[in-house]
Amino acid sequence: ECSTFIARRFEEQIAKGFPEDGAALRDLTLRLDAEFLASGQESGSTGTFVIAETLETGRVRLRVGNVGDSRVLLGRLDGSMVEGTGSD
């Protein structure tokens, strides 16, 4: 229930435009969490997402979000992994 709700609402919000920065993305995530909690449904989930945005330069900006105790691994096209902080 929770994951379906959040996926639908997240997609609706992103269709209106990308969050401008990390703070706006955090605010969106917290707002959707509050919406779900207010619905009174007894369900929960963790979530991980990536927003890929093509810039005017042709480069791609990735915004990665992690809510809960999910882990994110970022790989390159050649199969190698991007080193992270290793934080839990």
Side-chain angles (χ1 to χ4, degrees):
E1 295 174 20
C2 179
S3 59
T4 301
F5 177 92
I6 295 297
R8 178 180 52 81
R9 291 291 295 125
F10 197 82
E11 186 175 339
E12 291 169 357
Q13 293 301 302
I14 295 299
K16 295 177 182 178
F18 289 115
E20 293 182 21
D21 54 26
L25 185 56
R26 181 179 183 271
D27 290 346
L28 172 60
T29 303
L30 292 173
R31 189 172 75 242
L32 295 181
D33 182 55
E35 278 185 34
F36 180 77
L37 292 173
S39 75
Q41 298 179 61
E42 294 187 18
S43 176
S45 185
T46 64
T48 302
F49 55 89
V50 175
I51 299 173
E53 180 181 10
T54 303
L55 305 175
E56 291 179 10
T57 62
R59 294 184 63 137
V60 177
R61 176 186 347 195
L62 299 179
R63 293 187 184 171
V64 180
N66 183 37
V67 181
D69 62 356
S70 298
R71 289 185 179 234
V72 176
L73 301 173
L74 182 60
R76 295 184 181 93
L77 190 56
D78 67 5
S80 63
M81 301 303 293
V82 175
E83 292 288 331
T85 62
S87 61
D88 287 322

